[in-house]
Amino acid sequence: MIREHYILDDVTLLGLGGSRQVSGLVHAARLEPFVFLHTPALCVIEAERERTGIAVHVGQLGIATVDLGYSAVLTCCQLHQEGLTFGAAAAVEAARRVGEEYEDPFIATVRPGLYEKHFTRVVDLNR
């Protein structure tokens, strides 16, 4: 059975409860035993800065958080210097880390243009 892993970035977390596509992906992960959702802890913090309560909602939905160690933080800072937001940088780094342990994940996002130069496996949640 093919397992599907998705990384949710901060802008996608902001779509929880308001976007049909984001809600559909969360619903699929709850029903399908081979669909897994992950989000970097930094993305949760970035989303929480925009909308209080997102962190609690992520926990209630059972979305796995990806912690970033020191080397990952350095990579995020480098990607940020190259033009990515911290949330997008954390999603790219989390995708690399999740891909080392599981199958190559997709970054599921409502802003796919952020990843054009940095990560090829992107799911556009606007469609």
Side-chain angles (χ1 to χ4, degrees), residues 24-43:
L25 181 58
V26 171
H27 186 68
R30 293 186 79 142
L31 294 177
E32 300 295 328
F34 299 104
V35 176
F36 303 92
L37 301 181
H38 311 267
T39 189
L42 179 58
C43 287

Side-chain angles (χ1 to χ4, degrees), residues 80-97:
H80 180 68
Q81 289 174 354
E82 294 173 10
L84 283 179
T85 64
F86 277 117
V92 169
E93 180 59 23
R96 290 179 188 155
R97 296 191 58 221

